[in-house]
């Protein structure tokens, strides 16, 4: 707790700590990691999560394409956020969010766009997508008074 001085010089207690955008971004990064580990699709007793899906296969729509796994892309985006500390510029949050939600979004677009029956979608991809969206939302949420002039200046 610190002291902030208002009108008349009287001190009032203020609480120092993480702001809303930090909590949102941390929650989004955690949700994206959980979504990457959980199954994205389950059929006939077999399941696949983001670490079983190739990123190039999602981008090019070719199932046999090799490259980094989608789970690694999500994991690295979430770790990049967590390792960069509390106060990040908005552009870095947007970059981490795009990398976190991109694989899940591409997977869901491919899954819904495929012809035939849509069976076996599991909870992982929607959770990873939601985590990336929350992480991106954090870029647009600022702590109270940050970057905005006050309507009521103190003396």
């Amino acid at each position: 707790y610190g002291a902030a001085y208002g009108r008349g010089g009287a001190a009032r207690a203020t609480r120092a700590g993480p702001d809303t955008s930090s909590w949102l971004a941390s929650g989004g990064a955690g949700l994206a990691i959980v979504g990457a580990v959980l199954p994205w699709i389950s059929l006939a007793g077999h399941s696949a999560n983001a670490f079983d899906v190739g990123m190039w296969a999602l981008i090019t729509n070719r199932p046999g394409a090799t490259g980094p796994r989608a789970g690694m892309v999500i994991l690295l985006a979430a770790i990049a956020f967590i390792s960069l500390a509390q106060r990040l510029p908005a552009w870095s949050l947007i970059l981490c969010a795009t990398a976190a939600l991109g694989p899940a979004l591409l997977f869901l677009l491919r899954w819904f766009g495929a012809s035939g029956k849509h069976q076996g979608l599991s909870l992982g991809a929607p959770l990873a997508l939601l985590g990336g969206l929350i992480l991106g939302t954090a870029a647009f949420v600022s702590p109270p008074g940050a970057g905005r002039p006050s309507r009521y200046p103190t003396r």
Side-chain angles (χ1 to χ4, degrees), residues 28-93:
L31 196 58
I33 291 171
V34 168
V37 174
L38 289 176
W40 283 23
I41 192 165
S42 299
L43 288 170
H46 298 286
S47 65
N49 65 12
F51 294 94
D52 298 322
V53 177
M55 194 62 203
W56 294 125
L58 291 174
I59 293 170
T60 63
N61 201 21
R62 294 184 193 151
T66 59
R69 298 293 179 195
M72 289 305 295
V73 173
I74 294 172
L75 184 65
L76 290 176
I79 289 173
F81 161 73
I82 292 168
S83 67
L84 289 175
Q86 295 284 337
R87 304 270 178 169
L88 294 173
W91 66 266
S92 63
L93 281 176

Side-chain angles (χ1 to χ4, degrees), residues 83-144:
S83 67
L84 289 175
Q86 295 284 337
R87 304 270 178 169
L88 294 173
W91 66 266
S92 63
L93 281 176
I94 293 170
L95 184 65
C96 289
T98 303
L101 73 84
L105 179 63
L106 285 172
F107 176 82
L108 290 171
L109 287 174
R110 302 278 185 233
W111 189 81
F112 283 114
S115 60
K117 294 182 179 180
H118 299 299
Q119 299 177 17
L121 182 64
S122 295
L123 195 57
L127 280 180
L129 180 67
L130 181 62
L133 289 172
I134 291 171
L135 185 55
T137 302
F140 300 101
V141 176
S142 61

